[in-house]
Amino acid sequence: MATYRIAPSILSADFAQLGNEVRNVVAAGADMIHFDVMDNHYVPNLTIGPMVCSAIRPLVDVPIDVHLMVKPVDRIIPDFARAGADIISFHPEASEHIDRTLQLIHDNGCKAGLVFNPATPLDYLLHVMDKLDLILIMSVNPGFGGQAFIPHALKKIETARAMIDSSGKQIMLEVDGGIKIDNIAEVARAGADTFVSGSAIFNTPDYTAVIRQMRERLNTVISPISD
């Protein structure tokens, strides 16, 4: 039986009420908090940094999943580890030495992930699969919330799932971008086990109802994935 995780992205939360937002979404059934970091360099947007991560860390017991959309990436990793991140993922294009960056994340006590944009090939995985705890497939182009899911991402998810299964490792397969009630089961059938959802959760009045409906859709998926 698959273990599915729902990771609301606070990029879509009300930042004037961020503490309450993270508490409320965890109380509603979230498994993780997805924390998007953008630098107005690697992506055309500017969001939040380690101080915000440190501020929300005492408020929730679930893992904080930090997605770094910054370049260069190595400088900021220790700061997020100290701020309470549990998982830190980055884009291969943002690192001069991917293997070294993955080791840096582990050396700072966090799980390490690699992120693939819609047009980024999965070939990097051939060289670093043994160092990964998470693979994140972007189903939108990174930089802004509220975008529509790119259907071609399903094939990439299927390929990444096959690579994980062949490796024999317990690696989370996360998908970020346009995830909502109507498509979460299709994404799970492609092989994903962790689902980032921002506006589909935070732009509704009832987080509990949305997360419950997502889990109901996931319960219809027959999958060999196991934790």
Side-chain angles (χ1 to χ4, degrees), residues 12 21 181 198-211 213:
S12 298
E21 289 278 68
I181 294 168
S199 57
I201 295 174
F202 284 110
N203 289 1
T204 65
D206 190 341
Y207 303 162
T208 300
V210 175
I211 292 174
Q213 290 177 68

Side-chain angles (χ1 to χ4, degrees), residues 1-40:
M1 181 67 181
T3 297
Y4 292 124
R5 308 169 192 87
I6 295 176
S9 169
I10 61 171
L11 183 63
S12 298
D14 179 354
F15 274 69
Q17 301 290 333
L18 188 56
N20 289 331
E21 289 278 68
V22 295
R23 286 192 188 99
N24 291 341
V25 80
V26 170
D31 300 295
M32 302 159 64
I33 293 294
H34 191 76
F35 194 101
D36 287 307
V37 184
M38 305 181 189
D39 66 353
N40 192 34

Side-chain angles (χ1 to χ4, degrees), residues 129-165:
M129 189 71 85
D130 62 320
K131 296 178 174 63
L132 292 176
D133 304 290
L134 176 142
I135 296 167
L136 172 52
I137 304 297
M138 295 299 297
S139 45
V140 297
N141 287 297
F144 297 93
Q147 299 182 67
F149 184 89
I150 297 174
H152 180 71
L154 291 170
K155 290 191 177 297
K156 183 174 278 189
I157 296 165
E158 290 173 356
T159 301
R161 168 51 57 194
M163 295 175 76
I164 291 171
D165 291 347

Side-chain angles (χ1 to χ4, degrees), residues 73-74 77 90 95-108 112 114 127-128 131:
V73 70
D74 288 10
I77 286 169
F90 66 97
S95 172
E96 294 296 329
H97 303 283
I98 296 167
D99 185 274
R100 183 179 295 164
T101 301
L102 291 169
Q103 188 60 51
L104 177 63
I105 294 171
H106 285 142
D107 287 347
N108 279 272
L114 203 56
H127 310 285
V128 296
K131 296 178 174 63

